[in-house]
Amino acid sequence: MKFAHLLAASSLAVMAAAGANAKTLVYCSEGSPEGFDPAPYTAGTTFDASGKTVYNRLVEFDRGTTNVVPGLAESYEVAADGLEYTFKLRPGVKFHTTSFFTPTRDLNADDVIFSFMRQGDPAHPWHQYVPGISYEYYAGMEMPTVIKEIRKVDDLTVKFVLTRPEAPFLANLAMSFASILSKEYADKLEAEGRMADMNNVPVGTGPFKFVAYQKDAVIRYQAHEDYWAGREKIDDLVFAITTDPAVRMQKLQAGECHIMSYPAPADIEALKADPNLQVMEQPGLNVAYLAYNTTIAPFDKPEVRRALNMAMNKQAIVDAVFQGTGQMAKNPIPPTMWSYNDAVEDVPFDPEGAKKLLEEAGVSGLSMEVWAMPVQRPYMPNARRTAELIQEDFSKVGVDVSIVSYEWGEYLKKSTEPGRQGAVILGWTGDNGDPDNFLAVLLGCAATGDGGANRAQWCNKEFDDLIQKAKVTSDPAERTRLYEEAQLVFKRENPWATLAHSTVFMPMSKKVSGYVMDPLGTHNFTGVDIAE
């Protein structure tokens, strides 16, 4: 606790020292990060506060696109057989100098190897440095079986040797879970018995360095003076954590923050009408879904899952919850993504047919849980209201629903447990523009089990064979064919009810310039300026 007080004091000193001429950008964020190490988590809220501010990766997504460009690696080579990726690191990349850490060296290959091995090696001393953590992305993307070896060629050269070709490998390395941490900082924390602080007080190479965090209230950052890509235009970045969208809107209109996340659909028109604001928008690369636990009876029967999906009036959910900012979903990937299979026929809304199917399956007097997220996300403006509508629809076919919720971090963790009851409302915004990031990460066999992203615990051999074949071919046409076929299997089996795809809105002050919306749903403040 003493260390936290020191941080808070240093925060005040830094903000005071910045002076009246400092450019401060205040972002009204929607929630608190689960931690500041991006590897164990999957929430965009966490990546906004860590991966996109504090850290970099070997390769990055070019701002506003899903194109992979060099990051901490100034160049890379891929072997003709697709089994070796060699990265040449940028010389002279500086880690953050903070009140709690002063680096003695620049980025090198040891940092890269440390950042990946701690995730993939269960025997690594940093694998479980926070009790109970899991590496959901690393596991869900099958990195433990894909990566055979990570080899240090020299201080500025790292070679990844794979067990098989992996078409999405480069795009995966641009994701937040693949952020590069400082091994020197890790060694210092380990020697001092403070390993947990890797997740509390982070050190990276990114555009902003961490200053202080007051839980559920505020995160403060400063521009990294020695940033390898050039110092940012703003001096101080503040995340004002504001969970209520109505309060975020009030703060934006009052000038207390300059950018806000996730406005309520009902407020979009008022925000657009405000002469002091600008509202950006784009189709979200996302899906909202209700995932049944397919290992628990009677949800282990595809006909029962189909019956429940038939009982659900999805158009009414989209109308009431999204209010013109979403469309019904029929596939587990969004229509803006390549390989989307528009020929798939959605499950019809048919309560009488649902009753008949349940009766034929021998199901009567069913009681179940529907889990409702406690936070607003780009793919789901109001999970509680969605759950209430599902509850009402299911009651009409004789299914009694109780609605369950938890604090956001706990919700994400508990929803991965194999023994979880009922069905969970959740969603996904694409991380890298590749269908594998939806179909394998959310629905593949490797993503089942405790800590996996497959909330349906659904392992279907036919589906899994298709996505595994798609992973190892570099031919886009063949990958498209395989993913289109996989979507047909998904729809036949119904491990989810696919709910909606949303449009994403970003309201901000007209004083803000240089902000670019991220198709992958995170918030990136590089290149942003503000007129004082």
Side-chain angles (χ1 to χ4, degrees), residues 22-76:
K23 284 187 177 182
T24 300
L25 182 80
V26 181
Y27 165 58
C28 274
S29 65
E30 75 287 356
S32 298
E34 301 150 278
F36 289 92
D37 176 356
Y41 306 114
T42 61
T45 306
T46 299
F47 297 154
D48 290 347
S50 59
K52 298 301 179 184
T53 48
V54 177
Y55 297 106
N56 292 119
R57 289 140 293 282
L58 292 172
V59 290
E60 305 272 2
F61 294 113
D62 199 14
R63 222 164 48 113
T65 77
T66 57
N67 300 327
V68 175
V69 297
L72 294 176
E74 62 182 3
S75 64
Y76 54 86

Side-chain angles (χ1 to χ4, degrees), residues 405-433:
S405 194
Y406 298 93
E407 179 273 328
W408 184 219
E410 190 178 6
Y411 185 96
L412 290 170
K413 184 174 175 56
K414 282 182 173 292
S415 63
T416 71
E417 294 173 356
R420 187 204 78 234
Q421 297 298 309
V424 58
I425 295 174
L426 208 56
W428 194 257
T429 298
D431 295 291
N432 62 17

